[in-house]
Amino acid sequence: MPIEPGKVKRQEIKMLNRKLLEVSGVMNVESFDSEEFLLETECGFLMIKGSNLHIKNLSLEQGLVAIEGLVNELAYVDTNSQGKSKGFLGKLFK
């Protein structure tokens, strides 16, 4: 889903006690398992790592995802950069 010209990118990330994560501006859930989620957002690919992760709520129409579990790491992955990020995405899309 391309971003319309003139549309401002907006994303909110709310986390409660590392156990509930709510993310807005989500366009797609690329992959997920109990230890790692990869979300395509309006601000880039967001990688979430943790344990016992699962989707509590998902509404791509509204661009909202809620994830429960123990969150250990949040990181934006730049698909155009060289190095570790590219290696991660390269493995993911093989």
Side-chain angles (χ1 to χ4, degrees), residues 5-87:
K7 183 179 176 187
V8 177
K9 294 179 185 179
R10 179 172 168 86
Q11 181 166 49
E12 285 188 21
I13 298 175
K14 297 179 188 177
M15 185 168 18
L16 179 62
N17 297 330
R18 292 179 60 188
K19 294 181 179 166
L20 176 62
L21 184 68
E22 296 176 347
V23 182
S24 70
V26 176
M27 298 185 302
N28 194 22
V29 177
E30 292 290 327
S31 66
F32 69 94
D33 61 30
S34 66
E35 295 181 349
E36 190 171 280
F37 275 67
L38 182 62
L39 308 177
E40 181 183 2
T41 75
E42 292 187 18
C43 295
F45 285 92
L46 178 63
M47 182 176 53
I48 301 155
K49 290 187 177 184
S51 57
N52 298 316
L53 299 176
H54 60 276
I55 293 176
K56 178 181 178 186
N57 191 12
L58 172 64
S59 173
L60 290 179
E61 294 81 24
Q62 295 179 333
L64 301 172
V65 174
I67 298 170
E68 285 184 320
L70 182 62
V71 177
N72 293 327
E73 180 180 347
L74 298 173
Y76 284 95
V77 182
D78 184 0
T79 59
N80 296 324
S81 68
Q82 299 293 326
K84 188 176 181 181
S85 299
K86 186 171 182 184

